[in-house]
Structures are given as C-alpha cells and as structure tokens.
Amino acid sequence: MVSRTVACLLQHATANAYTMSSPIKLISTDFDGTLFEEYGQPPIPKRVVTLIGELQERGAKWVINTGRDLLSLTEGLTHAGVSIQPDYLVLVEREIHVNEGSQFVGLAEWNAACWRDHAELFARVQPDLPHLMGWVNTRFRATIYEDAYSPFCLIAGSNGDADEIHDFLNDYCRGVPQLTVVRNDVYARFSHTAYNKGTALAELTRRLDLDVNQVFAVGDHFNDLPMLSRDHARWLAAPGNAVEVVKQSVRRQQGFVSEHSHGEGVADALEFVCRRAS
C-alpha cells in the first residue's frame, strides 16, 4: 500500500508535469461565481491557487477578468487570503490594470479611450433614460441607479424579472449603435460594445505578443460570454455552477465544463488542458 505521504508526492509530481507542458500562456478567470465563492471554506480553493501559481512560475500570466471595481476586488482577494497575485486586472468588464508590484496601475491608452467612448455613447442615451426607468418601475420591483460606469444600472428583484428586463433593454439597444447590456445574475448596466471582457482579453493577448491558442478563459455568467469565445481563447471552460447558456456555449465550442463548482471547477479545467498537452 502506498503511504499517504508518497501518494501526495506522486500527485504533486503529476501536477508539476502537467504545468511544465502546459500550452497556456495567459489565464483569464472571472472572479465571482467562478474562481471565488463568497461563503466557501476557503473562498478560493488552495488547489486552484497552487495550479495558477505553478503556471505563473513557468511564464504564464494571470488576469482576473471581473465586473468588480478595484476596491471591491481587492477586498475579495483579501477575504480569500490567496498567496499569489494576478499579473493583470480587467475591471468593470472593460478597464485594464497592470500589476507593478506594490499597486495596480491603469493602462492609460486603453482606459482613456474607454472612458471617452463611453462618455460619448452615454450622452446619446441620456434623453431616453426617463422612459426606460418608467417602463421598468411600472412593471417590476427593481432598483435603478447611476454610478461612475453607467447612467443606467439595475438590480432586479429576481432572475425571472431580470430576464424580462434584459429582453426589453436588448430591444432598446438594437436602436442605439454601439450600446449593449452587460448582465450578471440580477445585475445589469449599459456599456459600449467595443469594451468587454473579450476585447480587453484580446488587447492583453496582443500586448503580450501571444495568440489565441495560448489563452485560457473560464467564466460562469452572461457577462463572461464575450471572453468565452474561440475568437479570444483556444481553451474555454466553465465551472459546474455556471448558468446553462454559458455551459451550452462552452460545449458548443468544444470547451470544458467541470462537474465541480467555482474554484474546484477552474482547477479541473486547468488540469484538463495540461493533460491534453502532455
């Protein structure tokens, strides 16, 4: 019988063999619902932290591609207590930030264009906001507000309500060039079609002089769909808790859908890709 210590050493050696032969040079992970489980113990499993850390040691870069802003994400990472740091952040599904050791610094050229294009777009939308708010408020119990990133943000009372509101807002967006709805669960906001998790990932891929065959992307919800595309990543994945539309999209593109949820599902996917290359 193999002792527990020897078994652990063999398992670790196998994991190292996987990561050494990994084709992944850029790892793009959504945060909430994918890597991070709010009430998980721990919120981000050690197994996935170890795998990402080993891939980083072998030259891969890691980007957290999230709808959170910098403060909120920093709080989440602190809560999770992870021992590694991402190389890049994509914040509010569009802004790119670079890890410069002691802080994350915005990618000036990209972020400035992002802010300018959104300001121009939202100026065109502004006159229609009273009608949109009225339509929602007369039919649903929902919270509508404005923040620094969108003049129309929404928290629906249920996913069923969010589905109906999403359909209505999508119809509206078809009449406004470059306008789209970004949705995650019961949350939604307006955004510019040129800036999303997929286009930000493509910009990082370009800046790192990589191609899509070296990129891995994993996510669980509607706002992850732009990066869960073979246009932006060769290796696509979803954890077991992903919404059905995401699972279907990943499977349709020959990606990997784990039976495990959240970070354990991400670890499954990384190991699967590394095994395929070994």
Side-chain angles (χ1 to χ4, degrees):
M1 173 179 277
V2 179
S3 72
R4 179 178 298 180
T5 300
V6 172
C8 288
L9 288 171
L10 288 171
Q11 183 180 26
H12 185 69
T14 302
N16 279 341
Y18 292 159
T19 54
M20 285 179 69
S21 59
S22 171
I24 302 169
K25 300 303 178 186
L26 179 57
I27 307 160
S28 179
T29 64
D30 172 46
F31 192 67
D32 294 283
T34 300
L35 192 68
F36 178 84
E37 182 184 9
E38 181 77 33
Y39 300 107
Q41 297 295 329
I44 300 177
K46 183 177 179 181
R47 175 183 169 212
V48 72
V49 172
T50 299
L51 281 168
I52 293 174
E54 289 176 348
L55 287 166
Q56 285 180 306
E57 288 176 2
R58 288 162 177 80
K61 303 298 183 182
W62 173 34
V63 53
I64 296 181
N65 210 330
T66 179
R68 291 197 187 208
D69 62 18
L70 182 58
L71 177 59
S72 177
L73 179 61
T74 301
E75 290 173 346
L77 288 169
T78 300
H79 172 55
V82 295
S83 57
I84 59 175
Q85 285 286 317
D87 300 285
Y88 300 94
L89 303 176
V90 173
L91 301 172
V92 290
E93 287 112 359
R94 62 198 197 213
E95 293 183 358
I96 300 174
H97 291 250
V98 182
N99 188 339
E100 294 194 350
S102 61
Q103 61 181 333
F104 284 94
V105 177
L107 197 58
E109 182 183 2
W110 173 273
N111 293 346
C114 178
W115 276 100
R116 182 192 64 240
D117 292 347
H118 276 88
E120 293 174 356
L121 173 63
F122 292 153
R124 289 191 274 122
V125 171
Q126 197 71 38
D128 297 332
L129 295 181
H131 166 68
L132 300 176
M133 294 172 64
W135 188 93
V136 173
N137 286 331
T138 57
R139 292 166 174 80
F140 304 96
R141 296 185 63 183
T143 301
I144 301 174
Y145 62 97
E146 178 179 2
D147 67 12
Y149 304 101
S150 173
F152 187 97
C153 303
L154 174 93
I155 306 174
S158 68
N159 267 292
D161 289 354
D163 289 341
E164 292 188 54
I165 297 169
H166 194 183
D167 289 341
F168 167 75
L169 294 176
N170 276 336
D171 285 341
Y172 168 73
C173 289
R174 292 186 186 99
V176 182
Q178 301 174 318
L179 183 68
T180 190
V181 182
V182 177
R183 179 184 167 197
N184 183 2
D185 198 54
V186 297
Y187 305 92
R189 64 169 165 246
F190 283 150
S191 188
H192 194 293
T193 54
Y195 302 92
N196 55 51
K197 291 189 176 190
T199 58
L201 178 58
E203 178 66 9
L204 284 176
T205 302
R206 184 188 70 82
R207 286 178 175 271
L208 290 168
D209 198 25
L210 302 174
D211 63 55
V212 295
N213 292 317
Q214 298 169 299
V215 182
F216 169 94
V218 58
D220 74 306
H221 223 288
F222 289 103
N223 62 335
D224 297 311
L225 287 171
M227 74 169 174
L228 295 176
S229 165
R230 292 290 289 271
D231 290 338
H232 300 310
R234 165 65 180 86
W235 308 99
L236 307 177
N241 59 289
V243 296
E244 192 58 33
V245 68
V246 167
K247 291 180 180 179
Q248 290 176 2
S249 178
V250 168
R251 289 188 179 113
R252 193 163 52 244
Q253 299 174 87
Q254 291 76 53
F256 178 87
V257 177
S258 175
E259 295 181 355
H260 298 285
S261 298
H262 304 100
E264 290 293 342
V266 177
D268 277 353
L270 288 169
E271 289 184 350
F272 171 80
V273 172
C274 294
R275 280 197 300 269
R276 286 280 298 271
S278 63

